[in-house]
C-alpha cells in the first residue's frame, strides 16, 4: 500500500511539472491533483490516527518534484536561496493538503470537501501574493500564460479564475473515477459535467479573442521603441559607468528614432549605479559628473526629437535628516539613506517622476519579516548596491508623458511585480493607458526562468486590456497587445531595439476594478470550513469524554 501511495505522489508531481511552461502541456493540470485526492482516500481507509502527517509527506514529494522541476534555475542566482524556496514552497502546499485531509478525517460532509480544498488552496495562493515570503510563480492560474486565447475571461476573474477552473476540474475527474465501478450513471454525469466545465470557458474565450481582434479600433498611435541593451548582470553591469550604459542604450535606439518617435522604454537598472532621487526630482544634480552625465547625453537626442519620453530603469537613494519609517541605513555623516529599485520618466522637462518597485523579491531585495530577522539583514543578497533591504513605494502610480500634444499615462512595472495582477492593476486604476514592464532576467542565465517570467506579461495584458512594452535585459523584449498576443519578440542575449506603433486605452476591465475578489471570497469560505471542522472535532471529543465517564 505504501508503494501505491508513493507512485501516486510521484505521478501527481510529474503531471504538475509536465503541465508547466515554457514547454509544458498546460491541460495536464486538470488531472494533476487527482492522485493526491486518491491518496487521501487510501489514508482514510487505513484509519491511522496520524494520517494527516502522512498526507503531508506524500504531498510534499509531489510538490517538491513540481517546484524543483519548474524553478530549478533559481540556483543560477542563489544556491541557498533556491533550496530554501523549494523546501518552503513545497511545504506550504503540502500543509494545505494535510489540513484538508484533517478536515475530511474529522467528518466534514462529502459535499463540503471539494469546497474546503478549493478555498484552502486559493487562500494559500492569496497569502502567497501578500506576505513577506511571497512567491506566486506557481500559482495555478499562471499555467495558461502560453495559451491566452483560452483564458480571455481572465479580464473578469484574473488568474484566480484559472485556479478555480483547475481545482474543480480535478474533483470532477476524481469523482468520475471513484464512482465508475460502483455508480456508473453518477460517474457518467460527472464526466459530462467535466467536459462541459472545460469546453464552455474555452469556447467563450476563443469567441472573445476573435471578437476583440476583429472589432478593435484605435486612434492616436504612439510610435515606441523598446531597448534590449544586453548587459552582463554580475560584473559588466557594475563595471560600466552610467555614461557607458546610456551610450549603449542610444547606440541601438537612436537609429530607429524618427520625428514621430515619442516613447523609448529601457530595461530594469538600465542605468545601474545608484544616484540621488532627491537631486533627480529637484533637478539639482551635477550634470557634468559621470553618475549623471548620461542625462546630458539623452538631452542631445531630445534636442532633435523634442517629443521623446524615456522610461528608464535606475537604482536610486533618498537621504533624510531624521530617521524615516521606511527601510534605511544610517550613514557616517549622521544622515539616513533609503535605497530603491526605481523607474523614471525623462523628457525635455528632465526627470518628471520616479516610481520605486513596491513588491520586492524576498531574500534578494528584502529580508522577510525584518522585525523578527533584523539580525540577518546583512545576509540580503548583494546585487551591486548597498547590502541592505530596498525600500518600496507605498502605491503604484503612472507617469505622465508628453505625447500627441497632450498627456498619455504610462504605468511602469518593475521585474517581479509583473507576477502580481493587483499590482499591475494599481497602475491602470491610476490612469495608465499604456503599460511598460522593465526587467533584468540575466541573473538566471539561459534557462526557463526568463521565459516563464516573460509569459506572465501576456496574462497581465488580458487582465487589464492594456498594450505592454516589455524591455528586458537580456531578453525577452516584445510588444504585447491587449489580447495577450506577442509582437516582435527578441532573441535572448542580443543587443537590439524594436519599434512599433502602440495605442493608449482607457477601458477598465472588471478584474482591474475588483482585483482578486475570488480569492477574498475563498478566504471567507476557508474560515467557515475550518471552523466547521473544529466544531465537529470538539463535539466528537466531548462525546468521547462523556462515554469514558459513563463507562467508569
Amino acid at each position: 500500500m505504501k508503494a501505491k501511495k508513493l507512485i501516486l505522489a510521484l505521478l501527481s508531481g510529474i503531471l504538475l511539472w509536465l503541465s508547466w511552461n515554457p514547454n509544458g502541456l498546460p491541460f495536464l493540470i486538470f488531472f494533476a491533483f487527482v492522485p493526491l485526492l486518491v491518496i487521501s482516500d487510501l489514508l482514510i481507509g487505513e484509519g491511522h490516527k496520524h494520517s494527516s502527517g502522512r498526507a503531508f509527506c506524500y504531498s510534499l514529494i509531489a510538490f517538491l518534484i513540481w517546484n524543483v522541476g519548474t524553478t530549478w534555475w533559481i540556483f543560477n542566482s542563489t544556491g541557498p536561496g533556491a533550496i530554501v524556496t523549494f523546501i518552503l514552497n513545497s511545504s506550504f502546499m503540502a500543509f494545505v493538503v494535510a489540513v484538508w485531509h484533517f478536515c475530511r478525517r474529522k467528518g466534514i460532509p462529502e459535499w463540503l470537501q471539494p469546497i474546503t480544498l478549493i478555498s484552502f488552496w486559493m487562500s494559500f495562493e492569496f497569502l502567497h501574493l501578500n506576505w513577506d515570503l511571497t512567491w506566486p510563480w506557481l500559482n495555478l492560474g499562471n499555467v495558461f500564460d502560453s495559451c491566452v486565447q483560452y483564458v480571455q475571461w481572465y479580464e473578469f476573474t484574473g488568474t484566480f479564475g484559472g485556479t478555480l477552473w483547475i481545482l474543480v476540474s480535478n474533483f470532477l475527474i476524481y469523482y468520475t473515477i471513484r464512482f465508475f465501478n460502483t455508480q456508473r450513471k453518477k460517474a457518467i454525469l460527472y464526466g459530462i459535467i467535466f467536459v462541459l466545465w472545460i469546453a464552455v470557458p474555452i469556447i467563450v474565450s476563443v469567441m472573445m479573442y476573435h471578437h476583440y481582434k476583429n472589432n478593435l479600433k484605435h486612434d492616436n498611435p504612439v510610435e515606441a521603441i523598446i531597448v534590449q541593451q544586453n548587459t552582463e548582470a554580475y560584473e559588466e553591469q557594475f563595471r560600466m559607468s552610467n555614461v557607458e550604459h546610456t551610450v549603449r542604450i542610444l547606440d541601438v535606439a537612436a537609429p530607429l528614432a524618427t520625428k514621430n518617435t515619442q516613447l523609448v522604454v529601457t530595461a530594469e537598472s538600465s542605468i545601474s549605479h545608484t544616484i540621488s532621487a532627491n537631486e533627480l526630482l529637484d533637478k539639482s544634480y551635477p550634470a557634468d559628473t559621470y553618475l549623471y552625465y548620461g542625462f546630458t547625453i539623452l538631452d542631445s537626442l531630445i534636442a532633435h526629437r523634442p517629443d521623446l519620453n524615456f522610461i528608464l530603469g535606475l537604482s536610486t537613494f533618498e537621504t533624510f535628516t531624521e530617521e524615516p519609517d521606511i527601510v534605511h541605513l544610517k550613514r557616517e555623516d549622521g544622515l539616513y539613506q533609503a535605497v530603491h529599485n526605481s523607474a523614471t520618466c525623462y523628457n525635455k522637462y528632465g526627470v518628471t517622476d520616479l516610481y520605486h518597485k513596491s513588491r520586492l523579491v524576498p531574500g534578494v531585495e528584502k529580508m522577510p519579516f525584518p522585525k523578527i530577522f533584523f539580525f540577518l539583514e546583512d545576509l540580503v543578497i548583494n546585487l551591486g548596491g548597498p547590502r541592505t533591504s530596498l525600500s518600496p513605494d507605498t502605491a503604484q502610480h503612472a507617469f505622465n508623458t508628453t505625447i500627441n500634444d497632450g498627456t498619455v499615462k504610462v504605468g511602469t512595472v518593475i521585474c517581479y511585480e509583473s507576477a502580481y495582477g493587483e499590482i499591475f492593476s494599481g497602475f491602470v486604476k491610476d490612469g495608465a493607458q499604456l503599460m511598460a514592464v522593465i526587467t533584468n532576467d540575466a541573473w538566471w542565465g539561459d534557462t526557463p526562468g526568463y521565459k516563464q517570467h516573460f509569459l506572465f506579461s501576456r496574462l497581465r495584458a488580458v487582465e487589464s486590456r492594456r498594450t505592454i512594452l516589455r524591455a528586458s535585459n537580456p531578453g525577452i523584449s516584445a510588444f504585447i497587445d491587449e489580447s495577450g498576443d506577442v509582437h516582435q519578440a527578441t532573441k535572448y542575449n542580443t543587443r537590439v531595439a524594436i519599434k512599433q506603433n502602440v495605442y493608449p486605452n482607457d477601458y477598465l476591465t472588471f478584474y482591474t476594478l475588483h482585483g482578486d475578489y475570488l480569492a477574498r471570497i475563498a478566504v471567507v469560505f476557508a474560515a467557515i470550513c475550518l471552523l466547521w471542522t473544529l466544531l465537529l472535532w470538539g463535539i466528537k471529543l466531548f462525546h468521547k469524554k462523556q462515554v469514558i465517564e459513563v463507562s467508569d
Side-chain angles (χ1 to χ4, degrees):
M1 187 65 75
K2 288 182 179 180
K4 183 177 181 179
K5 293 194 286 288
L6 179 59
I7 290 171
L8 287 169
L10 293 172
L11 177 59
S12 182
I14 291 170
L15 286 172
L16 287 164
W17 169 46
L18 291 178
S19 69
W20 219 255
N21 293 310
N23 300 311
L25 302 171
F27 292 102
L28 291 177
I29 201 82
F30 292 129
F31 311 92
F33 282 81
V34 174
L36 296 180
L37 303 181
V38 175
I39 289 174
S40 179
D41 279 346
L42 295 174
L43 290 171
I44 288 177
E46 293 172 358
H48 198 284
K49 65 178 181 178
H50 299 305
S51 62
S52 296
R54 296 185 179 192
F56 175 87
C57 293
Y58 286 115
S59 301
L60 183 63
I61 292 170
F63 295 138
L64 276 172
I65 293 172
W66 181 23
N67 277 265
V68 176
T70 54
T71 60
W72 58 266
W73 40 266
I74 302 173
F75 267 106
N76 282 25
S77 59
T78 165
I83 294 172
V84 171
T85 299
F86 300 151
I87 294 174
L88 283 181
N89 207 46
S90 301
S91 298
F92 295 149
M93 294 173 170
F95 180 75
V96 172
V97 175
V99 173
W100 171 71
H101 177 83
F102 171 82
C103 294
R104 289 190 76 192
R105 196 164 62 84
K106 295 305 175 185
I108 60 170
E110 177 78 25
W111 64 268
L112 190 58
Q113 292 176 14
I115 297 172
T116 302
L117 180 57
I118 291 168
S119 60
F120 282 0
W121 191 275
M122 292 177 69
S123 298
F124 155 70
E125 289 192 349
F126 186 62
L127 172 68
H128 232 11
L129 288 167
N130 295 288
W131 70 327
D132 278 11
L133 290 176
T134 179
W135 177 244
W137 212 266
L138 298 183
N139 280 12
L140 294 177
N142 292 337
V143 75
F144 302 112
D145 53 14
S146 64
C147 49
V148 294
Q149 65 271 28
Y150 301 134
V151 289
Q152 293 291 303
W153 40 269
Y154 273 18
E155 74 163 275
F156 300 102
T157 69
T159 57
F160 279 101
T163 297
L164 179 64
W165 194 31
I166 290 164
L167 293 175
V168 170
S169 300
N170 275 272
F171 270 104
L172 291 172
I173 287 293
Y174 160 71
Y175 284 125
T176 301
I177 295 171
R178 177 178 166 182
F179 295 121
F180 191 77
N181 291 325
T182 57
Q183 302 180 55
R184 187 65 56 87
K185 289 183 179 180
K186 196 172 185 179
I188 291 173
L189 177 61
Y190 276 115
I192 293 171
I193 295 173
F194 170 78
V195 172
L196 293 174
W197 178 257
I198 299 299
V200 171
I202 290 176
I203 293 169
V204 170
S205 180
V206 171
M207 292 173 63
M208 290 175 63
Y209 175 80
H210 289 294
H211 181 268
Y212 201 88
K213 286 289 188 184
N214 295 335
N215 293 278
L216 196 61
K217 295 181 180 179
H218 278 130
D219 298 314
N220 302 318
V222 176
E223 185 174 279
I225 293 173
I226 297 173
V227 176
Q228 180 173 299
Q229 63 201 78
N230 195 39
T231 302
E232 191 276 325
Y234 285 95
E235 295 184 10
E236 184 183 31
Q237 176 174 332
F238 305 109
R239 186 175 67 245
M240 292 174 60
S241 69
N242 284 352
V243 173
E244 291 173 306
H245 284 300
T246 306
V247 170
R248 180 168 286 186
I249 291 168
L250 293 184
D251 279 345
V252 291
L256 293 182
T258 70
K259 64 180 181 179
N260 297 317
T261 304
Q262 297 165 307
L263 187 60
V264 177
V265 180
T266 71
E268 176 189 22
S269 301
S270 57
I271 299 177
S272 60
H273 291 281
T274 308
I275 52 184
S276 169
N278 310 76
E279 293 177 344
L280 288 175
L281 290 173
D282 63 22
K283 300 177 177 55
S284 63
Y285 57 87
D288 57 346
T289 64
Y290 248 50
L291 277 177
Y292 298 94
Y293 189 70
F295 294 108
T296 302
I297 298 174
L298 294 178
D299 290 339
S300 65
L301 182 60
I302 292 173
H304 299 283
R305 304 277 188 268
D307 293 329
L308 272 182
N309 298 266
F310 284 88
I311 303 295
L312 302 167
L314 306 175
S315 177
T316 66
F317 68 90
E318 290 181 276
T319 55
F320 305 87
T321 56
E322 297 183 358
E323 187 170 6
D325 292 333
I326 58 178
V327 180
H328 60 273
L329 291 168
K330 187 172 183 179
R331 304 192 322 195
E332 293 182 358
D333 60 5
L335 295 177
Y336 298 92
Q337 179 172 304
V339 184
H340 309 284
N341 183 347
S342 305
T344 189
C345 177
Y346 187 84
N347 55 31
K348 60 188 176 183
Y349 302 110
V351 172
T352 60
D353 199 359
L354 283 171
Y355 167 72
H356 309 307
K357 185 177 183 181
S358 60
R359 193 52 55 94
L360 303 172
V361 182
V364 175
E365 296 175 318
K366 177 182 180 180
M367 175 57 63
F369 305 110
K371 292 184 179 179
I372 300 174
F373 299 113
F374 63 91
F375 57 93
L376 297 177
E377 182 68 30
D378 288 344
L379 297 182
V380 172
I381 296 171
N382 186 7
L383 299 180
R387 188 177 288 274
T388 182
S389 294
L390 301 183
S391 184
D393 226 323
T394 55
Q396 294 73 49
H397 62 274
F399 296 143
N400 292 310
T401 60
T402 54
I403 289 176
N404 293 332
D405 297 322
T407 298
V408 171
K409 300 195 76 170
V410 180
T412 303
V413 173
I414 303 175
C415 194
Y416 192 52
E417 294 179 316
S418 65
Y420 298 81
E422 286 195 325
I423 294 290
F424 198 96
S425 295
F427 292 97
V428 179
K429 287 194 287 188
D430 189 56
Q433 300 158 288
L434 293 170
M435 289 296 298
V437 172
I438 65 173
T439 181
N440 186 353
D441 294 335
W443 307 107
W444 311 318
D446 191 359
T447 67
Y450 76 89
K451 298 174 184 177
Q452 293 168 359
H453 192 198
F454 169 74
L455 291 171
F456 288 153
S457 292
R458 300 187 68 188
L459 298 177
R460 303 290 87 80
V462 172
E463 289 172 346
S464 64
R465 296 303 185 189
R466 289 294 183 273
T467 296
I468 297 174
L469 294 79
R470 190 179 195 272
S472 174
N473 174 55
I476 303 168
S477 301
F479 295 94
I480 302 174
D481 68 25
E482 296 155 355
S483 295
D485 285 341
V486 177
H487 304 273
Q488 298 192 61
T490 62
K491 293 182 179 180
Y492 184 81
N493 203 29
T494 57
R495 185 168 300 129
V496 67
I498 52 178
K499 182 172 70 172
Q500 183 172 305
N501 281 346
V502 294
Y503 299 89
N505 179 13
D506 292 312
Y507 172 66
L508 295 179
T509 66
F510 187 88
Y511 175 75
T512 296
L513 292 172
H514 300 285
D516 294 324
Y517 64 94
L518 286 176
R520 291 178 171 87
I521 294 172
V523 170
V524 175
F525 274 99
I528 293 172
C529 293
L530 189 57
L531 289 173
W532 192 326
T533 301
L534 294 175
L535 179 62
L536 290 174
W537 189 23
I539 293 172
K540 286 184 177 181
L541 290 175
F542 176 77
H543 284 306
K544 184 177 180 180
K545 182 179 179 182
Q546 293 292 99
V547 170
I548 293 172
E549 289 177 352
V550 170
S551 63
D552 290 343

